[in-house]
Amino acid sequence: MGRWYVYYEDWQMECCGTPFSVGDEVSWPLLLMDADDVLAGDWERELSRIVGSVEAVPDEYGGVFRTLRAGPPGGLGLTAALNADAVDDSGPEPAEPIRRVGLLTVERHGGEWPETTGRVRAIHLVHQEYAALAPGSLTREPVPGTRSLEAVTSCPKWFGEGRSGVLVELDVPGAAPPEPRDRR
């Protein structure tokens, strides 16, 4: 059993999600994102370090996307879709396991990806400050260093101003994260 952090963006929940509570079993399609691309970065504590096999999965449009699977083949475990640039597309899948680091996110709009099933152990409402991109602009961007977390027992369906989603601690059977290396 491994505990993983998963970020569930507000708009993903509001559009196509089903609210959940601590203790619930959930199944979600996951995407491993570059953490710097999510709410101005600074996710060091929540990063996932995944070691696993790369699998090619056909998509609904006749193409192929890549997933990274941590856990026994064909069994329980964590499966996350990879961004297109995460693996070399020019040849066969790597025979040896690969290691990738990023932020796991729920992705309900990227195709029919395999889902990861786990039990919700904790939910943190993510508060994020935003600022106008330029004076008078209606476009806003996250302000680095202004994110905070609030422990809650249930995920809301609707979020409102200043709340950008939830960070979930998810226990996944058969998918223990690798031990962190000593940084000396």
Side-chain angles (χ1 to χ4, degrees):
M1 178 88 56
R3 183 158 298 176
W4 302 84
Y5 288 99
V6 178
Y7 177 57
Y8 204 134
E9 284 187 89
D10 56 347
W11 71 270
Q12 294 273 1
M13 173 57 70
E14 290 173 357
C15 171
C16 307
T18 301
F20 53 90
S21 297
V22 171
D24 287 353
E25 184 175 278
V26 296
S27 290
W28 297 326
L30 301 178
L31 174 65
L32 186 64
M33 295 283 297
D34 180 333
D36 291 339
D37 294 340
V38 181
L39 295 181
D42 194 27
W43 292 98
E44 183 60 36
R45 189 172 151 293
E46 295 83 7
L47 290 178
S48 293
R49 290 155 180 82
I50 304 174
V51 176
S53 59
V54 175
E55 299 173 3
V57 178
D59 69 18
E60 59 199 67
Y61 305 106
V64 172
F65 64 88
R66 305 289 192 266
T67 62
L68 182 58
R69 179 168 179 66
L76 299 173
L78 181 127
T79 301
L82 296 170
N83 285 328
D85 59 351
V87 292
D88 180 3
D89 244 0
S90 63
E93 303 308 331
E96 298 296 319
I98 66 169
R99 180 177 192 265
R100 292 293 180 264
V101 177
L103 182 65
L104 288 168
T105 63
V106 175
E107 179 56 67
R108 299 213 168 269
H109 297 87
E112 295 296 318
W113 299 347
E115 294 190 349
T116 293
T117 299
R119 186 156 311 277
V120 176
R121 290 297 171 210
I123 304 169
H124 307 276
L125 196 57
V126 178
H127 297 272
Q128 177 68 50
E129 290 183 29
Y130 291 82
L133 194 56
S137 173
L138 297 179
T139 303
R140 300 171 356 142
E141 63 183 358
V143 177
T146 62
R147 180 174 46 252
S148 65
L149 302 176
E150 173 190 352
V152 296
T153 57
S154 295
C155 176
K157 176 67 175 172
W158 307 103
F159 287 83
E161 185 72 25
R163 300 189 299 179
S164 64
V166 290
L167 184 67
V168 178
E169 293 179 39
L170 188 67
D171 281 343
V172 178
E179 293 296 319
R181 291 186 179 164
D182 187 1
R183 294 188 179 185
R184 287 186 233 172

mmCIF file with all atom_site columns, all heavy atoms in Angstrom, residues 82-102:
data_model
loop_
_atom_site.group_PDB
_atom_site.id
_atom_site.type_symbol
_atom_site.label_atom_id
_atom_site.label_alt_id
_atom_site.label_comp_id
_atom_site.label_asym_id
_atom_site.label_entity_id
_atom_site.label_seq_id
_atom_site.pdbx_PDB_ins_code
_atom_site.Cartn_x
_atom_site.Cartn_y
_atom_site.Cartn_z
_atom_site.occupancy
_atom_site.B_iso_or_equiv
_atom_site.pdbx_formal_charge
_atom_site.auth_seq_id
_atom_site.auth_comp_id
_atom_site.auth_asym_id
_atom_site.auth_atom_id
_atom_site.pdbx_PDB_model_num
ATOM 1   N N   . LEU A 1 82  ? 1.243  9.904  -19.102 1.00 0.00 ? 82  LEU A N   1
ATOM 2   C CA  . LEU A 1 82  ? 2.425  10.754 -19.188 1.00 0.00 ? 82  LEU A CA  1
ATOM 3   C C   . LEU A 1 82  ? 2.220  11.815 -20.252 1.00 0.00 ? 82  LEU A C   1
ATOM 4   O O   . LEU A 1 82  ? 1.578  11.566 -21.276 1.00 0.00 ? 82  LEU A O   1
ATOM 5   C CB  . LEU A 1 82  ? 3.655  9.924  -19.555 1.00 0.00 ? 82  LEU A CB  1
ATOM 6   C CG  . LEU A 1 82  ? 4.075  8.860  -18.534 1.00 0.00 ? 82  LEU A CG  1
ATOM 7   C CD1 . LEU A 1 82  ? 5.145  7.958  -19.132 1.00 0.00 ? 82  LEU A CD1 1
ATOM 8   C CD2 . LEU A 1 82  ? 4.573  9.520  -17.265 1.00 0.00 ? 82  LEU A CD2 1
ATOM 9   N N   . ASN A 1 83  ? 2.787  12.989 -20.029 1.00 0.00 ? 83  ASN A N   1
ATOM 10  C CA  . ASN A 1 83  ? 2.816  14.002 -21.083 1.00 0.00 ? 83  ASN A CA  1
ATOM 11  C C   . ASN A 1 83  ? 3.574  13.449 -22.273 1.00 0.00 ? 83  ASN A C   1
ATOM 12  O O   . ASN A 1 83  ? 4.434  12.580 -22.125 1.00 0.00 ? 83  ASN A O   1
ATOM 13  C CB  . ASN A 1 83  ? 3.489  15.282 -20.588 1.00 0.00 ? 83  ASN A CB  1
ATOM 14  C CG  . ASN A 1 83  ? 2.598  16.069 -19.655 1.00 0.00 ? 83  ASN A CG  1
ATOM 15  O OD1 . ASN A 1 83  ? 1.386  16.053 -19.791 1.00 0.00 ? 83  ASN A OD1 1
ATOM 16  N ND2 . ASN A 1 83  ? 3.196  16.746 -18.714 1.00 0.00 ? 83  ASN A ND2 1
ATOM 17  N N   . ALA A 1 84  ? 3.298  13.949 -23.455 1.00 0.00 ? 84  ALA A N   1
ATOM 18  C CA  . ALA A 1 84  ? 3.910  13.435 -24.678 1.00 0.00 ? 84  ALA A CA  1
ATOM 19  C C   . ALA A 1 84  ? 5.425  13.456 -24.641 1.00 0.00 ? 84  ALA A C   1
ATOM 20  O O   . ALA A 1 84  ? 6.078  12.584 -25.206 1.00 0.00 ? 84  ALA A O   1
ATOM 21  C CB  . ALA A 1 84  ? 3.405  14.223 -25.883 1.00 0.00 ? 84  ALA A CB  1
ATOM 22  N N   . ASP A 1 85  ? 6.027  14.424 -23.974 1.00 0.00 ? 85  ASP A N   1
ATOM 23  C CA  . ASP A 1 85  ? 7.484  14.522 -23.963 1.00 0.00 ? 85  ASP A CA  1
ATOM 24  C C   . ASP A 1 85  ? 8.150  13.737 -22.832 1.00 0.00 ? 85  ASP A C   1
ATOM 25  O O   . ASP A 1 85  ? 9.353  13.804 -22.643 1.00 0.00 ? 85  ASP A O   1
ATOM 26  C CB  . ASP A 1 85  ? 7.917  15.986 -23.886 1.00 0.00 ? 85  ASP A CB  1
ATOM 27  C CG  . ASP A 1 85  ? 7.387  16.688 -22.651 1.00 0.00 ? 85  ASP A CG  1
ATOM 28  O OD1 . ASP A 1 85  ? 6.558  16.103 -21.934 1.00 0.00 ? 85  ASP A OD1 1
ATOM 29  O OD2 . ASP A 1 85  ? 7.817  17.827 -22.405 1.00 0.00 ? 85  ASP A OD2 1
ATOM 30  N N   . ALA A 1 86  ? 7.387  12.945 -22.083 1.00 0.00 ? 86  ALA A N   1
ATOM 31  C CA  . ALA A 1 86  ? 7.941  12.220 -20.937 1.00 0.00 ? 86  ALA A CA  1
ATOM 32  C C   . ALA A 1 86  ? 8.711  10.965 -21.324 1.00 0.00 ? 86  ALA A C   1
ATOM 33  O O   . ALA A 1 86  ? 9.509  10.473 -20.551 1.00 0.00 ? 86  ALA A O   1
ATOM 34  C CB  . ALA A 1 86  ? 6.828  11.859 -19.959 1.00 0.00 ? 86  ALA A CB  1
ATOM 35  N N   . VAL A 1 87  ? 8.462  10.424 -22.513 1.00 0.00 ? 87  VAL A N   1
ATOM 36  C CA  . VAL A 1 87  ? 9.188  9.243  -22.984 1.00 0.00 ? 87  VAL A CA  1
ATOM 37  C C   . VAL A 1 87  ? 9.557  9.436  -24.443 1.00 0.00 ? 87  VAL A C   1
ATOM 38  O O   . VAL A 1 87  ? 8.937  10.207 -25.163 1.00 0.00 ? 87  VAL A O   1
ATOM 39  C CB  . VAL A 1 87  ? 8.349  7.938  -22.842 1.00 0.00 ? 87  VAL A CB  1
ATOM 40  C CG1 . VAL A 1 87  ? 8.134  7.582  -21.392 1.00 0.00 ? 87  VAL A CG1 1
ATOM 41  C CG2 . VAL A 1 87  ? 7.040  8.036  -23.558 1.00 0.00 ? 87  VAL A CG2 1
ATOM 42  N N   . ASP A 1 88  ? 10.557 8.696  -24.876 1.00 0.00 ? 88  ASP A N   1
ATOM 43  C CA  . ASP A 1 88  ? 10.995 8.749  -26.264 1.00 0.00 ? 88  ASP A CA  1
ATOM 44  C C   . ASP A 1 88  ? 9.972  8.020  -27.128 1.00 0.00 ? 88  ASP A C   1
ATOM 45  O O   . ASP A 1 88  ? 9.718  6.843  -26.941 1.00 0.00 ? 88  ASP A O   1
ATOM 46  C CB  . ASP A 1 88  ? 12.373 8.084  -26.389 1.00 0.00 ? 88  ASP A CB  1
ATOM 47  C CG  . ASP A 1 88  ? 12.912 8.097  -27.798 1.00 0.00 ? 88  ASP A CG  1
ATOM 48  O OD1 . ASP A 1 88  ? 12.259 8.666  -28.696 1.00 0.00 ? 88  ASP A OD1 1
ATOM 49  O OD2 . ASP A 1 88  ? 13.998 7.536  -28.011 1.00 0.00 ? 88  ASP A OD2 1
ATOM 50  N N   . ASP A 1 89  ? 9.372  8.735  -28.055 1.00 0.00 ? 89  ASP A N   1
ATOM 51  C CA  . ASP A 1 89  ? 8.325  8.175  -28.916 1.00 0.00 ? 89  ASP A CA  1
ATOM 52  C C   . ASP A 1 89  ? 8.874  7.470  -30.158 1.00 0.00 ? 89  ASP A C   1
ATOM 53  O O   . ASP A 1 89  ? 8.121  6.914  -30.933 1.00 0.00 ? 89  ASP A O   1
ATOM 54  C CB  . ASP A 1 89  ? 7.406  9.310  -29.384 1.00 0.00 ? 89  ASP A CB  1
ATOM 55  C CG  . ASP A 1 89  ? 6.000  9.149  -28.871 1.00 0.00 ? 89  ASP A CG  1
ATOM 56  O OD1 . ASP A 1 89  ? 5.734  8.175  -28.159 1.00 0.00 ? 89  ASP A OD1 1
ATOM 57  O OD2 . ASP A 1 89  ? 5.175  10.020 -29.193 1.00 0.00 ? 89  ASP A OD2 1
ATOM 58  N N   . SER A 1 90  ? 10.177 7.489  -30.342 1.00 0.00 ? 90  SER A N   1
ATOM 59  C CA  . SER A 1 90  ? 10.734 7.015  -31.604 1.00 0.00 ? 90  SER A CA  1
ATOM 60  C C   . SER A 1 90  ? 10.889 5.507  -31.691 1.00 0.00 ? 90  SER A C   1
ATOM 61  O O   . SER A 1 90  ? 11.128 4.976  -32.770 1.00 0.00 ? 90  SER A O   1
ATOM 62  C CB  . SER A 1 90  ? 12.103 7.673  -31.848 1.00 0.00 ? 90  SER A CB  1
ATOM 63  O OG  . SER A 1 90  ? 13.007 7.285  -30.832 1.00 0.00 ? 90  SER A OG  1
ATOM 64  N N   . GLY A 1 91  ? 10.787 4.808  -30.602 1.00 0.00 ? 91  GLY A N   1
ATOM 65  C CA  . GLY A 1 91  ? 11.006 3.368  -30.660 1.00 0.00 ? 91  GLY A CA  1
ATOM 66  C C   . GLY A 1 91  ? 10.064 2.617  -29.751 1.00 0.00 ? 91  GLY A C   1
ATOM 67  O O   . GLY A 1 91  ? 9.061  3.158  -29.289 1.00 0.00 ? 91  GLY A O   1
ATOM 68  N N   . PRO A 1 92  ? 10.411 1.346  -29.463 1.00 0.00 ? 92  PRO A N   1
ATOM 69  C CA  . PRO A 1 92  ? 9.561  0.538  -28.580 1.00 0.00 ? 92  PRO A CA  1
ATOM 70  C C   . PRO A 1 92  ? 9.609  1.061  -27.148 1.00 0.00 ? 92  PRO A C   1
ATOM 71  O O   . PRO A 1 92  ? 10.469 1.861  -26.787 1.00 0.00 ? 92  PRO A O   1
ATOM 72  C CB  . PRO A 1 92  ? 10.193 -0.854 -28.678 1.00 0.00 ? 92  PRO A CB  1
ATOM 73  C CG  . PRO A 1 92  ? 11.600 -0.610 -29.086 1.00 0.00 ? 92  PRO A CG  1
ATOM 74  C CD  . PRO A 1 92  ? 11.601 0.641  -29.920 1.00 0.00 ? 92  PRO A CD  1
ATOM 75  N N   . GLU A 1 93  ? 8.670  0.585  -26.340 1.00 0.00 ? 93  GLU A N   1
ATOM 76  C CA  . GLU A 1 93  ? 8.632  0.980  -24.936 1.00 0.00 ? 93  GLU A CA  1
ATOM 77  C C   . GLU A 1 93  ? 9.928  0.526  -24.258 1.00 0.00 ? 93  GLU A C   1
ATOM 78  O O   . GLU A 1 93  ? 10.467 -0.522 -24.587 1.00 0.00 ? 93  GLU A O   1
ATOM 79  C CB  . GLU A 1 93  ? 7.435  0.332  -24.228 1.00 0.00 ? 93  GLU A CB  1
ATOM 80  C CG  . GLU A 1 93  ? 6.099  0.633  -24.836 1.00 0.00 ? 93  GLU A CG  1
ATOM 81  C CD  . GLU A 1 93  ? 5.838  2.113  -25.024 1.00 0.00 ? 93  GLU A CD  1
ATOM 82  O OE1 . GLU A 1 93  ? 6.369  2.942  -24.267 1.00 0.00 ? 93  GLU A OE1 1
ATOM 83  O OE2 . GLU A 1 93  ? 5.107  2.454  -25.945 1.00 0.00 ? 93  GLU A OE2 1
ATOM 84  N N   . PRO A 1 94  ? 10.424 1.296  -23.289 1.00 0.00 ? 94  PRO A N   1
ATOM 85  C CA  . PRO A 1 94  ? 11.634 0.883  -22.577 1.00 0.00 ? 94  PRO A CA  1
ATOM 86  C C   . PRO A 1 94  ? 11.408 -0.452 -21.874 1.00 0.00 ? 94  PRO A C   1
ATOM 87  O O   . PRO A 1 94  ? 10.367 -0.685 -21.274 1.00 0.00 ? 94  PRO A O   1
ATOM 88  C CB  . PRO A 1 94  ? 11.841 2.000  -21.541 1.00 0.00 ? 94  PRO A CB  1
ATOM 89  C CG  . PRO A 1 94  ? 10.979 3.139  -21.986 1.00 0.00 ? 94  PRO A CG  1
ATOM 90  C CD  . PRO A 1 94  ? 9.899  2.575  -22.833 1.00 0.00 ? 94  PRO A CD  1
ATOM 91  N N   . ALA A 1 95  ? 12.398 -1.349 -21.972 1.00 0.00 ? 95  ALA A N   1
ATOM 92  C CA  . ALA A 1 95  ? 12.283 -2.664 -21.343 1.00 0.00 ? 95  ALA A CA  1
ATOM 93  C C   . ALA A 1 95  ? 12.458 -2.563 -19.833 1.00 0.00 ? 95  ALA A C   1
ATOM 94  O O   . ALA A 1 95  ? 11.847 -3.309 -19.080 1.00 0.00 ? 95  ALA A O   1
ATOM 95  C CB  . ALA A 1 95  ? 13.319 -3.616 -21.926 1.00 0.00 ? 95  ALA A CB  1
ATOM 96  N N   . GLU A 1 96  ? 13.290 -1.654 -19.387 1.00 0.00 ? 96  GLU A N   1
ATOM 97  C CA  . GLU A 1 96  ? 13.547 -1.471 -17.959 1.00 0.00 ? 96  GLU A CA  1
ATOM 98  C C   . GLU A 1 96  ? 12.574 -0.439 -17.392 1.00 0.00 ? 96  GLU A C   1
ATOM 99  O O   . GLU A 1 96  ? 12.140 0.461  -18.108 1.00 0.00 ? 96  GLU A O   1
ATOM 100 C CB  . GLU A 1 96  ? 14.980 -0.990 -17.750 1.00 0.00 ? 96  GLU A CB  1
ATOM 101 C CG  . GLU A 1 96  ? 16.030 -1.970 -18.228 1.00 0.00 ? 96  GLU A CG  1
ATOM 102 C CD  . GLU A 1 96  ? 16.004 -3.271 -17.439 1.00 0.00 ? 96  GLU A CD  1
ATOM 103 O OE1 . GLU A 1 96  ? 15.842 -3.209 -16.198 1.00 0.00 ? 96  GLU A OE1 1
ATOM 104 O OE2 . GLU A 1 96  ? 16.118 -4.332 -18.062 1.00 0.00 ? 96  GLU A OE2 1
ATOM 105 N N   . PRO A 1 97  ? 12.263 -0.547 -16.113 1.00 0.00 ? 97  PRO A N   1
ATOM 106 C CA  . PRO A 1 97  ? 11.424 0.486  -15.495 1.00 0.00 ? 97  PRO A CA  1
ATOM 107 C C   . PRO A 1 97  ? 12.074 1.863  -15.608 1.00 0.00 ? 97  PRO A C   1
ATOM 108 O O   . PRO A 1 97  ? 13.293 1.977  -15.616 1.00 0.00 ? 97  PRO A O   1
ATOM 109 C CB  . PRO A 1 97  ? 11.344 0.052  -14.028 1.00 0.00 ? 97  PRO A CB  1
ATOM 110 C CG  . PRO A 1 97  ? 11.667 -1.403 -14.033 1.00 0.00 ? 97  PRO A CG  1
ATOM 111 C CD  . PRO A 1 97  ? 12.620 -1.614 -15.178 1.00 0.00 ? 97  PRO A CD  1
ATOM 112 N N   . ILE A 1 98  ? 11.245 2.892  -15.706 1.00 0.00 ? 98  ILE A N   1
ATOM 113 C CA  . ILE A 1 98  ? 11.740 4.260  -15.736 1.00 0.00 ? 98  ILE A CA  1
ATOM 114 C C   . ILE A 1 98  ? 11.288 4.974  -14.467 1.00 0.00 ? 98  ILE A C   1
ATOM 115 O O   . ILE A 1 98  ? 10.374 4.516  -13.776 1.00 0.00 ? 98  ILE A O   1
ATOM 116 C CB  . ILE A 1 98  ? 11.276 5.037  -16.984 1.00 0.00 ? 98  ILE A CB  1
ATOM 117 C CG1 . ILE A 1 98  ? 9.752  5.243  -16.979 1.00 0.00 ? 98  ILE A CG1 1
ATOM 118 C CG2 . ILE A 1 98  ? 11.739 4.353  -18.263 1.00 0.00 ? 98  ILE A CG2 1
ATOM 119 C CD1 . ILE A 1 98  ? 9.265  6.227  -18.027 1.00 0.00 ? 98  ILE A CD1 1
ATOM 120 N N   . ARG A 1 99  ? 11.919 6.099  -14.171 1.00 0.00 ? 99  ARG A N   1
ATOM 121 C CA  . ARG A 1 99  ? 11.569 6.895  -12.993 1.00 0.00 ? 99  ARG A CA  1
ATOM 122 C C   . ARG A 1 99  ? 11.163 8.279  -13.464 1.00 0.00 ? 99  ARG A C   1
ATOM 123 O O   . ARG A 1 99  ? 11.888 8.921  -14.221 1.00 0.00 ? 99  ARG A O   1
ATOM 124 C CB  . ARG A 1 99  ? 12.769 7.005  -12.069 1.00 0.00 ? 99  ARG A CB  1
ATOM 125 C CG  . ARG A 1 99  ? 12.503 7.811  -10.821 1.00 0.00 ? 99  ARG A CG  1
ATOM 126 C CD  . ARG A 1 99  ? 13.759 7.801  -9.938  1.00 0.00 ? 99  ARG A CD  1
ATOM 127 N NE  . ARG A 1 99  ? 13.468 8.316  -8.627  1.00 0.00 ? 99  ARG A NE  1
ATOM 128 C CZ  . ARG A 1 99  ? 13.660 9.579  -8.271  1.00 0.00 ? 99  ARG A CZ  1
ATOM 129 N NH1 . ARG A 1 99  ? 14.122 10.446 -9.148  1.00 0.00 ? 99  ARG A NH1 1
ATOM 130 N NH2 . ARG A 1 99  ? 13.387 9.982  -7.049  1.00 0.00 ? 99  ARG A NH2 1
ATOM 131 N N   . ARG A 1 100 ? 9.996  8.747  -12.998 1.00 0.00 ? 100 ARG A N   1
ATOM 132 C CA  . ARG A 1 100 ? 9.530  10.093 -13.318 1.00 0.00 ? 100 ARG A CA  1
ATOM 133 C C   . ARG A 1 100 ? 9.047  10.752 -12.033 1.00 0.00 ? 100 ARG A C   1
ATOM 134 O O   . ARG A 1 100 ? 8.522  10.086 -11.142 1.00 0.00 ? 100 ARG A O   1
ATOM 135 C CB  . ARG A 1 100 ? 8.386  10.073 -14.346 1.00 0.00 ? 100 ARG A CB  1
ATOM 136 C CG  . ARG A 1 100 ? 8.807  9.607  -15.723 1.00 0.00 ? 100 ARG A CG  1
ATOM 137 C CD  . ARG A 1 100 ? 9.764  10.611 -16.364 1.00 0.00 ? 100 ARG A CD  1
ATOM 138 N NE  . ARG A 1 100 ? 10.184 10.212 -17.678 1.00 0.00 ? 100 ARG A NE  1
ATOM 139 C CZ  . ARG A 1 100 ? 11.305 9.560  -17.972 1.00 0.00 ? 100 ARG A CZ  1
ATOM 140 N NH1 . ARG A 1 100 ? 12.136 9.237  -17.011 1.00 0.00 ? 100 ARG A NH1 1
ATOM 141 N NH2 . ARG A 1 100 ? 11.608 9.249  -19.202 1.00 0.00 ? 100 ARG A NH2 1
ATOM 142 N N   . VAL A 1 101 ? 9.208  12.055 -11.970 1.00 0.00 ? 101 VAL A N   1
ATOM 143 C CA  . VAL A 1 101 ? 8.803  12.832 -10.806 1.00 0.00 ? 101 VAL A CA  1
ATOM 144 C C   . VAL A 1 101 ? 7.853  13.920 -11.280 1.00 0.00 ? 101 VAL A C   1
ATOM 145 O O   . VAL A 1 101 ? 8.105  14.584 -12.294 1.00 0.00 ? 101 VAL A O   1
ATOM 146 C CB  . VAL A 1 101 ? 10.025 13.472 -10.108 1.00 0.00 ? 101 VAL A CB  1
ATOM 147 C CG1 . VAL A 1 101 ? 9.583  14.339 -8.940  1.00 0.00 ? 101 VAL A CG1 1
ATOM 148 C CG2 . VAL A 1 101 ? 11.000 12.395 -9.656  1.00 0.00 ? 101 VAL A CG2 1
ATOM 149 N N   . GLY A 1 102 ? 6.752  14.108 -10.573 1.00 0.00 ? 102 GLY A N   1
ATOM 150 C CA  . GLY A 1 102 ? 5.799  15.152 -10.926 1.00 0.00 ? 102 GLY A CA  1
ATOM 151 C C   . GLY A 1 102 ? 4.649  15.184 -9.948  1.00 0.00 ? 102 GLY A C   1
ATOM 152 O O   . GLY A 1 102 ? 4.676  14.527 -8.906  1.00 0.00 ? 102 GLY A O   1
#
